[in-house]
Amino acid sequence: MSKKSIKALFAFDGLLAKAFDGYVEREAQIEMAQAIEAAIDSETSICIEAGTGTGKTFAYLVPAIKAADDSDKKIIISTGTKNLQDQLYFRDLPSIFDALGIHKERALLKGRNNYLCRYRLEQNLDSGRFKSRSMADTLVKVKQWTNKTVSGDLTQCPDLNDNDPLWSYVTSTNENCLGADCPDYADCYLVKARQKAMEADLVVVNHHLLLADMVLKEDGFGELLPEADIVIADEAHQVAAIAHAFYGHRLTSRQVNELCRDAELEAMTTAKDDRQLSVAVRRVEGAVNEIRLKLGDSGKKINWLQLDIKVRNDLLLELLREMKALSKRLDLNATRSKGLDACHRRSVEILQSLVLFEDKDLAKDSVRWVETYRTGFAIVETPLDVSEAFAQSRLDHGAQTWVFTSATLSQARKFDHFKSQLGLDSANELMLESPFDYQNQSLLYVPRDLPDPRNPKYIESWFNKIFPLVETNKGGSFLLFTSYYALNKVRELIESKIESSKLMVQGERPKNELIEAFREQGDAVLLATSSFWEGVDVKGMALSLVVIDKLPFAAPDEPLIEAKVQSMRKQGKNPFYDLQIPEAITALKQGAGRLIRDQKDQGVLVLCDPRLVANNYGKEFLTSLPELPRTRSQKLVIEFLENLNQ
Ligand code: SF4
């Protein structure tokens, strides 16, 4: 294989064509694969935007595997989600290795919260402390599953669904893992998965793990990933947002509560006589609950400086005082068991975080906020700009070639925003158009006469324009919203007008299940917000109408955006053009990309924001999308929908 050129491998009579039924030679795919091969040969980095349908997965896997075979290069492939990791590892990689006739060691590595922790499973089973009988039953089933699983990857455990509260009972965290001191270390699934990854030629990870490895997060196991020559980041538009989390600090009430729970569990077996330990645990839990109550509604992000001064003080001082008391008790008991020793270590780490947040002089180039959840909260601090840190981490990492690819890296055909966020100034660029025939497969409709989206009548007017299209569409309609407020309003308006079995709403079921039901139904109406703008791949008539409620600008009071905007203004930059528009374009491109998924797909994309036409910057959005024929006539759209092939 190694003697064959990329062009020959991808040719109509090449190895790939021989291996895959219905293989079609694609010019853009070959161009991408050749560009990656050139980057590997010249030890340079490249950013590649590959429109939907380019076949980018094969376009990066083939030159990477070829380099592993030709010159023993080690490769890390990083994706955006666990689903994509599984798809790559279990479906794409084996078929390409077979097609090319190559054998190389490969490994799949996920975050530690995906692997069953035998120690914590046993510890929780032994404790007998469950909130319900069904919790105990599920834990027993998870234990039985250990006889069948080799990987310990809990996403494959049929008895534990994604939202099960038991996840924290059967997985470990950086803080509570006992590492080499663990009695189950020799059989630990996570340890085995990491060892396999360290020995592999090609490892499939996700961006969180890649970043964790890059910033050398200390977690008791040393390095997470092996040294690599080539790093390929797919869905690379997500990397900057994830990097913010890794170059900052975060303390959550969950970390504190888990410490309390573990300390209590350990104390029940090895420190029963120290009643003060239980008292200290209760007091910390009490302080956490008090603070959560004071923070008010869930789902908020509150800038630290705008937080009530009393709440801020309570958050730090009260929690600090109670944590110090708990840490002292744990210190006194630390020699009684490895578990208690680990709990003491964790309490010291939490104290260090609290002291760090107590520092009044928040660095001027960072921002801090508090997030509230239904039963907890988090304090988050992150730098406003991660470009230098990321560039330094890349240097320290040592890989010679970095490939960043996605269908949405550019705005108005420029990579400037993406590259500046990650300090990729010297990386090469390549933009590849989608091979789809958008002129004949689709239509873009920008409705007339809608009020400004801030007008209170906007949603009602929007609905009057959109509902006739939904009614006409014989296939599935996907209504994407920029807020839950708009989604809920539309839900109220639409509920009485369509059969209940056809209406599907985000949150009713786990995302994957909902998408599967939408696909199977064929003519359903799915209402969803931001998390559905990406990763929904429904081909054919089951998704033939995509409606976007308005331009997806991030909320201006979102603390990170707000702080970046202020900082850019101080530097004399224009944050609207240099930040808010590029970010909104990326989100819009993702949402719009849900419509045409293959050569035969057809459908209508509706962008409902009068600013697209009324304001100059609307052009930036429109030139960033594939070239769909445009109309402002509802009549034409209805005719188009009526004529879609079923
Ligand atoms: S080493 Fe850590 S993850 Fe593995 S079983 Fe022990 S505590 Fe759990």
Side-chain angles (χ1 to χ4, degrees), residues 451-505:
D452 185 278
R454 285 160 294 194
N455 185 315
K457 296 238 165 72
Y458 182 76
I459 294 173
E460 223 169 290
S461 311
W462 179 96
F463 187 74
N464 292 336
K465 293 272 179 204
I466 299 308
F467 189 65
L469 310 184
V470 172
E471 264 188 318
T472 308
N473 184 23
K474 289 166 275 184
S477 303
F478 192 25
L479 311 189
L480 285 171
F481 297 94
T482 47
S483 67
Y484 281 101
Y485 173 78
L487 180 148
N488 288 327
K489 280 270 172 203
V490 170
R491 180 187 199 158
E492 281 169 23
L493 291 168
I494 208 169
E495 249 164 0
S496 58
K497 293 188 186 302
I498 62 170
E499 287 167 40
S500 59
S501 61
K502 282 173 66 172
L503 181 62
M504 299 180 185
V505 182

Side-chain angles (χ1 to χ4, degrees), residues 63-296:
I65 292 171
K66 190 171 180 299
D69 194 44
D70 288 353
S71 36
D72 282 331
K73 299 271 188 198
K74 303 272 184 205
I75 300 146
I76 290 173
I77 297 187
S78 181
T79 66
T81 63
K82 289 183 273 182
N83 280 349
L84 283 171
Q85 269 188 280
D86 285 341
Q87 208 170 295
L88 259 176
Y89 186 77
F90 293 111
R91 197 189 66 188
D92 300 328
L93 271 178
S95 58
I96 293 196
F97 272 110
D98 285 351
L100 302 181
I102 289 178
H103 177 76
K104 285 277 162 187
E105 290 303 323
R106 54 184 188 257
L108 172 70
L109 188 62
K110 298 183 180 174
R112 70 158 65 235
N113 60 344
N114 291 281
Y115 295 96
L116 176 69
C117 169
R118 290 178 187 270
Y119 178 74
R120 290 177 58 74
L121 171 68
E122 290 300 336
Q123 201 186 26
N124 279 298
L125 277 170
D126 287 351
S127 79
R129 293 172 79 215
F130 307 112
K131 290 194 185 120
S132 67
R133 179 75 226 160
S134 77
M135 276 176 104
D137 290 346
T138 307
L139 274 194
V140 171
K141 284 183 188 153
V142 173
K143 164 111 188 189
Q144 287 161 352
W145 173 76
T146 58
N147 296 323
K148 296 183 204 147
T149 179
V150 177
S151 67
D153 181 348
L154 283 162
T155 51
Q156 289 159 14
C157 176
D159 301 301
L160 199 67
N161 70 42
D162 284 359
N163 306 318
D164 201 307
L166 275 178
W167 275 83
S168 66
Y169 287 66
V170 293
T171 56
S172 63
T173 61
N174 286 343
E175 294 86 18
N176 64 26
C177 173
L178 299 182
D181 290 335
C182 175
D184 293 304
Y185 190 78
D187 295 320
C188 174
Y189 294 113
L190 177 70
V191 171
K192 285 184 180 164
R194 287 183 172 178
Q195 276 165 355
K196 190 172 177 208
M198 291 305 271
E199 288 153 15
D201 301 301
L202 188 154
V203 189
V204 179
V205 300
N206 56 47
H207 299 334
H208 286 91
L209 262 182
L210 177 68
L211 261 302
D213 183 56
M214 284 174 76
V215 298
L216 296 171
K217 278 244 178 281
E218 180 55 61
D219 75 346
F221 283 98
E223 279 182 332
L224 288 168
L225 303 176
E227 287 187 4
D229 305 291
I230 305 164
V231 177
I232 298 172
D234 196 352
E235 300 298 316
H237 62 281
Q238 299 173 0
V239 172
I242 296 168
H244 273 285
F246 281 92
Y247 293 109
H249 305 282
R250 184 182 181 94
L251 178 71
T252 65
S253 56
R254 188 176 156 181
Q255 273 167 275
V256 180
N257 283 334
E258 280 180 359
L259 168 67
C260 289
R261 206 175 68 212
D262 293 343
E264 190 81 335
L265 275 179
E266 288 291 342
M268 279 169 62
T269 45
T270 46
K272 274 189 192 141
D273 54 337
D274 186 355
R275 295 189 53 204
Q276 289 304 313
L277 180 54
S278 280
V279 172
V281 165
R282 292 284 97 76
R283 290 182 71 99
V284 170
E285 287 174 335
V288 168
N289 290 341
E290 271 291 295
I291 293 162
R292 176 62 197 88
L293 271 178
K294 284 177 189 159
L295 289 170

